[in-house]
Amino acid sequence: MSVRVPRIETLNYRPGGFHPVHLDDTFKKERYTVIHKLGHGGFATVWLARDNVRQRYVALKILAARLSRDCPEVEILRRLRNSEESIGKAFVMSMLDHFWIDGPNGHHLCVVSEVGGPSIKQFNECPGLQSGSRRLRGEVARKVALQATQGLAYIHSTGTVHGDFTAANILLQLANIDEWTVDQIHERLGKPMTQDLHRTTGGPEDLSGPRYTISTIDMKLVDPHWISDQIMIIDFGIAFLQEQSSVDIGTPKAYCAPEFNFGYPRSVNSDTWALGCTIFEIRTGACLFRFRGVPTRDQVLVSMVQLLGKLPEKWWVEWEDGHNWYDIEVQVGGEMAGCVQGNMHHQIMQIGMHDGDIASDPSLYKNHDLKHETVIESESEMAPTASQAHRDSTNRLVALVEELTTSEAAEVIEQINKPPSSGSSHEKSTSGSSNKNTSGSAVASGSSNAKSGEKSISSEGISTGAPTAPPRSDDHPPERPVSDPITESAPIPVTLGIAEFLEPTGTTISLVEADSLEKLLREALIFLPEERVTPLHLAEQYWFQGDYANTVQNQKFLLKALCE
């Protein structure tokens, strides 16, 4: 099947546009050799190249000529590189080199950085799966989210505002890529597909393109086996210094802070809002805010109120239609009745509940125009009724009880009947309450009695069904050799710590973790920008370090919460 010519790219091969690049082209006195293509956009093309001096793979970004002269990205990256060491610095894109080249379309700035793997958004949006059905395993998601938080804290500590902090700009690193041969690059990431670039009859005479176009690596298809749990924050194309002010919003609507709808500029606080949205996406595999098409101002604000509750009073004055809508909906029978603080907790508890469902529409919220012309949602997207909530709680209670041994059940009943203690409910499990499997995750001592195919409790919550495919049992052994997929001869060493990435289908979140995650998100997603906590403060939240393994202690907490 032929490869479709990327139209936006070919239109940019003209004076002031992109530099034509071919496979095996070299740059900077043959130091960098082009191996594959990582992507392109409106500002640049990005290439996977081999650094022949340092013997490693790098990302080579070649900016369009018209944008190279006044590009602030190099100064921002230099500032980040030269700032003091910090725990979050390791999770931020590092500029390794930069230089200029001349070509038929002008003078181009080239930026060399570390090469990354799939973005969080690419990893979650696996072809053929409903949004949210493929996601990072709980403990991996918390580790990745902590790195993202620490990385943003470091960016802010240098006096920089990222300005476009989204799941698309957080990359999962490829494990041991510098040890791969070019053949292994093609085997694991896909071979470069080329298509001759022909000028159309009567086309522009000033078009100066390459002889052929090259398809980009489809990171959605990369086997998680080749991905590490280390991240890299990228794309500082619209970043700026904190002492400056920027109202230029390039961030997708799903990550835009509410103050943008009331004339506020971008800031470190709007970065924090985007971080909260991104943390939700890292844990759940789906966007926090999802709309049909490009939403209007009213649609964005309504979705925020549905999720988080009433806007600050000073904003109601500027949003009279929304104020009136809210007053109606909080009444008995309205959408917001009984949930004046929004339905954040409900959205978190939906993790895994609809894995495998066929959704008629990917949006989560009605696209309100506040004029009684709303779009009907499917039943699975609507807030649950009291009877539905009771049924869900009962099912979760039954699933938990089925996993307990007789002695454990007696202990739980005794614990429930005890008067409340003053201690914290977020107790970590003791060493004797769980067994460790080969992947390092904790499993309950009574879970081995569950029959195949029955509901079972995972190490992160409750599984509503058997996994579609069992996890590989040989993912983590020390010094594990992997057969070379090219020669099938000598084993290739794989770095320790490559995690089992995928959450088993149907795994839901525990109440313990859900409560902790909601607390964190409500700290980041405070409406007024000046009241939001900093990423540095968020990084200290319990959710990141919490032990949510399937232990008797966590079963007690969940059972007690359900019974109450």
Side-chain angles (χ1 to χ4, degrees), residues 169-482:
N169 288 329
I170 298 175
L171 306 186
L172 294 165
Q173 300 273 32
L174 295 169
N176 298 330
I177 185 174
D178 290 337
E179 300 175 7
W180 299 1
T181 65
V182 173
D183 285 342
Q184 289 168 342
I185 290 282
H186 294 165
E187 177 71 19
R188 297 165 186 177
L189 304 182
K191 292 183 178 180
M193 303 296 292
T194 63
Q195 182 176 10
D196 291 342
L197 181 62
H198 299 289
R199 284 187 189 162
T200 58
T201 304
E205 295 299 324
D206 59 353
L207 183 65
S208 301
R211 297 188 306 274
Y212 53 81
T213 58
I214 306 170
S215 62
T216 61
I217 295 173
D218 191 347
M219 289 294 182
K220 294 179 182 179
L221 303 179
V222 175
D223 189 333
H225 183 78
W226 305 116
I227 303 173
S228 79
D229 53 9
Q230 301 295 314
I231 70 157
M232 178 169 62
I233 300 170
I234 64 166
D235 197 351
F236 292 84
I238 59 174
F240 59 97
L241 300 182
Q242 291 181 22
E243 58 263 26
Q244 300 171 343
S245 179
S246 172
V247 294
D248 176 25
I249 301 174
T251 308
K253 292 285 189 180
Y255 303 89
C256 283
E259 59 265 27
F260 294 165
N261 296 285
F262 299 95
Y264 286 63
R266 294 187 297 159
S267 66
V268 290
N269 298 315
S270 57
D271 272 357
T272 299
W273 176 278
L275 171 64
C277 297
T278 302
I279 289 174
F280 180 91
E281 192 165 349
I282 290 172
R283 181 61 183 94
T284 69
C287 284
L288 181 58
F289 299 103
R290 303 196 290 280
F291 306 96
R292 300 184 181 101
V294 180
T296 65
R297 175 177 181 263
D298 283 347
Q299 291 164 359
V300 169
L301 291 175
V302 165
S303 66
M304 290 177 177
V305 171
Q306 288 176 325
L307 187 76
L308 298 167
K310 186 178 178 181
L311 289 175
E313 200 62 39
K314 69 176 184 178
W315 286 352
W316 283 126
V317 178
E318 299 183 46
W319 192 41
E320 184 177 353
D321 287 343
H323 194 173
N324 295 335
W325 163 82
Y326 181 82
D327 287 343
I328 294 172
E329 296 302 334
V330 295
Q331 303 301 318
V332 177
E335 283 188 3
M336 299 293 294
C339 56
V340 292
Q341 295 301 315
N343 59 10
M344 170 70 81
H345 188 78
H346 171 70
Q347 295 305 329
I348 294 174
M349 293 302 294
Q350 290 299 299
I351 297 175
M353 294 298 291
H354 301 292
D355 288 357
D357 287 357
I358 299 176
S360 58
D361 192 288
S363 63
L364 179 61
Y365 299 102
K366 295 179 180 179
N367 276 16
H368 289 266
D369 61 4
L370 304 184
K371 295 179 182 178
H372 311 293
E373 295 180 2
T374 58
V375 181
I376 303 299
E377 295 177 295
S378 64
E379 181 180 353
S380 64
E381 294 170 340
M382 298 175 67
T385 63
S387 60
Q388 289 172 329
H390 176 74
R391 184 169 63 252
D392 290 344
S393 295
T394 301
N395 289 339
R396 293 164 71 82
L397 182 61
V398 170
L400 280 169
V401 172
E402 286 177 346
E403 293 299 319
L404 296 176
T405 63
T406 302
S407 59
E408 290 169 347
E411 186 179 355
V412 168
I413 295 300
E414 180 182 357
Q415 180 72 17
I416 292 174
N417 291 330
K418 285 182 179 179
S421 63
S422 58
S424 170
S425 60
H426 296 295
E427 297 181 24
K428 293 192 174 182
S429 60
T430 60
S431 60
S433 63
S434 64
N435 300 320
K436 292 288 182 178
N437 61 16
T438 56
S439 65
S441 60
V443 293
S445 59
S447 63
S448 60
N449 296 327
K451 296 180 180 179
S452 176
E454 293 182 345
K455 292 183 179 180
S456 60
I457 307 174
S458 78
S459 63
E460 291 300 316
I462 305 172
S463 175
T464 57
T468 54
R472 289 187 297 267
S473 60
D474 60 346
D475 273 356
H476 309 294
E479 307 296 335
R480 178 176 62 86
V482 178

